Amino acid sequence: MNEIALLIAATLASGTPLAVAGLGLLLNEKAGVLNLGAEGMMLVAAIAGFATALATGSDVLAFAAGAGAGALMAAVFALLVIGLNTNQYATGLALSLFGGGFSAFVGVSFVGKKLEDRVPFEVPGLADIPFIGPAFFKQHWMVYVAIALVLAMSWFLYRSRAGLVLRAVGESPESAHALGYPVRLIRFGAVLAGGALCGVAGAFLSVVYAPLWVEGLVAGRGWIALALTTFATWRPARVLLGAYLFGGVTMLQFALQGAGVEVSSQLLSMLPYLATIVVLALISRNPLWIRINMPASLGKPFHPGA
C-alpha cells in the first residue's frame, strides 16, 4: 500500500508541470492562437527559475522569474504572429528551437549544481492520515496551486464576461471586432498569460521536480502539454486529468524498474511519448468531435482591415 501511495504522490508531482503548461496553451488556443513554442518557453523559464532559486533560495521568486521568462518569450511570439501576421506554426517552431539553444548556452555554468534541500511540505492534520496523507497531502504547494488554477480557469472561461469575450475572439474574431472588442489586444494578453503559465511549469521542473539543471531538462513535456489541449477537447478540468494520466505513465516506468520487471529501460522511457501518440491517434479517428470542440479560428490570423 505504501508503494501505491508513493506512486500516486509521484504522479501528482509529475503531472503538475504538464497541467500548468497545458492550461497556458489552452488559454492561447481559446483566443485563437496556436503556440508551438511551449518547449522553448519552458526551457528558458527552467534555467531562469533555477538560477533565481540558486541565488535567492526562494521558490516564489524562482516561479516569478520563470513566469517572467515565459511571458517574455511569449511576447516575442505575439509581436510576430499578432503584430506582423507571421505564420503561427513556423514562428512557434522557431521559438521552440531558439529556446532550446538559448537555454543550453545560458545554462552551461549551472550544469552540475544542485539546490539546497528544502523542508518537506505537509498539510497539517491531513499528512498523517494513513495512505491518503502520503499520497495527497505531502506535496509541494504548487501542486495545489495547479488544481486551484484549473478551477479559476474554468470559472473565467465559462462564468465571466471576460472569458466569454475571449472565447468569442477565438471563435469569430471578425464578429468580436465588429462589436468593438480589440481582438489583437485580447489575443496578445492571452498569449502573454499563457506564456507565463508555461514559464511557471518550466521553473517547477528545475526548482522542485529535479531540482537541478541539465540541457534539455524539459524533455518533450512542452509537446505533451500541447497534445493535452486536444486530448482534453479544450476543457480545463480534462487538461488536469490528462496531465495526471501522462504523469502516471511517466512514473510507472520507474515503479516497474524498481519492482524488477524484466523490460528494457529504453522501452519504459518511451511510455509517456508512446501514450501521447496513441491518445492523439485515437482522438483523430473522430474528426467531427474535434471540430465541434476546437475554437473555430484556431491558428488563423486576423486582419482588422480585411
Side-chain angles (χ1 to χ4, degrees):
M1 291 293 286
N2 187 52
E3 289 76 11
I4 297 176
L6 292 177
L7 178 60
I8 293 173
T11 295
L12 294 178
S14 179
T16 294
L18 294 176
V20 176
L23 289 174
L25 295 172
L26 181 143
L27 191 64
N28 288 353
E29 294 179 17
K30 280 292 188 181
V33 179
L34 181 64
N35 187 351
L36 299 181
E39 184 82 2
M41 291 191 295
M42 290 176 69
L43 280 167
V44 172
I47 184 57
F50 182 80
T52 303
L54 194 64
T56 66
S58 170
D59 287 4
V60 174
L61 291 178
F63 291 137
L72 182 61
M73 292 279 286
V76 174
F77 174 81
L79 285 173
L80 291 172
V81 302
I82 298 173
L84 301 178
N85 286 321
T86 60
N87 183 277
Q88 294 184 18
Y89 301 93
T91 306
L93 289 172
L95 187 70
S96 186
L97 293 172
F98 170 78
F102 181 76
S103 63
F105 173 74
V106 173
V108 168
S109 60
F110 294 97
V111 174
K113 296 182 179 180
K114 288 194 65 175
L115 300 177
E116 296 181 2
D117 293 335
R118 59 173 54 85
V119 178
F121 183 84
E122 296 182 353
V123 178
L126 298 176
D128 297 327
I129 300 175
F131 184 79
I132 296 177
F136 298 102
F137 299 114
K138 290 187 176 181
Q139 302 285 345
H140 188 273
W141 53 266
M142 182 52 69
V143 173
Y144 309 112
V145 170
I147 297 173
L149 278 173
V150 171
L151 298 175
M153 185 79 72
S154 297
W155 177 86
F156 171 74
L157 290 175
Y158 300 106
R159 292 291 184 270
S160 71
R161 181 178 177 82
L164 176 63
V165 172
L166 180 75
R167 289 190 290 125
V169 167
E171 293 292 339
S172 179
E174 293 81 9
S175 299
H177 177 70
L179 291 172
Y181 292 111
V183 172
R184 287 189 166 187
L185 187 61
I186 291 170
R187 285 187 165 183
F188 196 93
V191 170
L192 285 185
L197 288 176
C198 286
V200 171
F204 182 89
L205 286 170
S206 62
V207 174
V208 178
Y209 187 74
L212 49 80
W213 168 256
V214 293
E215 183 179 343
L217 175 72
V218 176
R221 289 180 177 87
W223 299 109
I224 294 178
L226 191 65
L228 265 180
T229 58
T230 304
F231 168 80
T233 58
W234 294 271
R235 301 297 179 94
R238 293 176 186 174
V239 167
L240 183 65
L241 293 176
Y244 289 154
L245 171 63
F246 289 116
V249 172
T250 302
M251 290 298 103
L252 183 62
Q253 61 176 307
F254 300 113
L256 292 176
Q257 288 174 353
V261 177
E262 295 296 332
V263 182
S264 169
S265 60
Q266 289 80 7
L267 178 61
L268 291 175
S269 299
M270 287 170 53
L271 285 178
Y273 312 103
L274 186 61
T276 304
I277 294 171
V278 170
V279 167
L280 289 178
L282 291 175
I283 291 175
S284 299
R285 293 180 62 189
N286 191 352
L288 178 61
W289 190 47
I290 293 179
R291 284 201 301 270
I292 290 174
N293 291 281
M294 183 179 69
S297 296
L298 179 60
K300 300 177 182 177
F302 172 68
H303 306 278

